[in-house]
Amino acid sequence: LFLIWRQSESKVFAKNITLTFFLLISAGLLAYGIYSLKTANLAGDGLRLSITPTSPYAGERPEEGETGVASRLEYMKAALQLISERPLAGAGLGSFGQEYLRIQTDPRFYSADPHNLYLRMAAELGLIGGLLFIIFIAAAVIPRGLVLLKKGSDDLFTGALFSGAVGLLLHYGLDIDFTFPAHIILLFNLLALLTRDEKLEKEPAGANLKTNT
């Protein structure tokens, strides 16, 4: 973030973005810390199951030595089943956890999220809703990526934003990050910055007004 601030043409803009990232990261760490303390306290009191509504995967009971791959495959398979049942309309936004209880086949695993954002959107909003979400993401990310490739640009700020957005989107295909508000805010901040109009940033204030008059 320091390098972005140093090399950006708009120092005030980059400074504000750096501050935004710092606040988001701090908020995320604070949220995880509070949740960990609550989990530890409840577990110590023998109330582990009571935190299931606040934890997307509190019901997981893997066998010793078993990795998270088995559970992820189980959740993704369930998402595909929900898609096949209601391919157009979906089961409803935020309904995966409840629907999973209905079709659950392995009592060792429970999650309110299929660990894949794109399957979740398709399962809850239908194939149409899932496709619209992917088109929205692609329309925000791909054009900026093509610009960076064509220019061979040394724009460190835009390159960092693009890399961060792509990294998040790839990870959302394998985990439950999008269930946390901090991740949603972070992703849409990145997309907003990627789609910003650079010409407006470089023009001095009132330039358009003078031209029109």
Side-chain angles (χ1 to χ4, degrees):
L1 292 176
F2 176 75
L3 290 175
I4 293 173
W5 177 75
R6 293 285 295 175
Q7 297 194 19
S8 174
E9 294 181 5
S10 176
K11 297 296 177 66
V12 175
F13 177 74
K15 183 179 179 181
N16 290 336
I17 296 306
T18 302
L19 179 60
T20 300
F21 283 163
F22 173 76
L23 293 174
L24 285 172
I25 292 171
S26 300
L29 291 174
L30 178 62
Y32 278 113
I34 293 173
Y35 171 73
S36 298
L37 289 174
K38 287 184 176 180
T39 301
N41 292 335
L42 288 172
D45 295 335
L47 300 175
R48 185 70 178 90
L49 292 177
S50 68
I51 63 168
T52 299
T54 60
S55 174
Y57 42 74
E60 286 190 1
R61 297 293 185 273
E63 296 180 356
E64 185 177 354
E66 191 172 31
T67 68
V69 175
S71 59
R72 280 171 167 76
L73 291 176
E74 189 71 22
Y75 304 143
M76 292 179 190
K77 187 171 91 172
L80 290 173
Q81 181 177 338
L82 292 177
I83 294 171
S84 67
E85 289 180 358
R86 300 175 183 173
L88 294 181
L93 186 61
S95 64
F96 180 84
Q98 188 65 34
E99 290 294 319
Y100 183 75
L101 291 173
R102 179 176 61 82
I103 63 175
Q104 185 178 14
T105 58
D106 193 332
R108 296 176 303 157
F109 302 123
Y110 170 78
S111 175
D113 189 284
H115 289 63
N116 185 301
L117 174 61
Y118 314 105
L119 287 179
R120 175 187 167 190
M121 288 295 178
E124 294 182 351
L125 301 179
L127 292 175
I128 295 176
L131 181 60
L132 288 175
F133 177 74
I134 292 175
I135 290 174
F136 167 75
I137 296 294
V141 175
I142 292 177
R144 184 64 69 178
L146 293 175
V147 170
L148 288 172
L149 287 175
K150 288 179 181 179
K151 285 184 177 180
S153 176
D154 58 352
D155 185 351
L156 180 61
F157 182 64
T158 302
L161 292 174
F162 178 79
S163 300
V166 171
L168 283 176
L169 292 170
L170 290 174
H171 196 257
Y172 290 161
L174 296 170
D175 216 329
I176 63 167
D177 301 318
F178 217 66
T179 60
F180 301 106
H183 270 276
I184 299 174
I185 295 172
L186 178 59
L187 176 64
F188 281 96
N189 273 340
L190 287 175
L191 296 182
L193 292 170
L194 280 176
T195 56
R196 72 193 189 282
D197 191 336
E198 294 178 347
K199 293 180 180 179
L200 292 178
E201 291 178 20
K202 294 178 180 179
E203 290 180 0
N208 290 334
L209 181 60
K210 292 179 180 179
T211 302
N212 294 334
T213 54

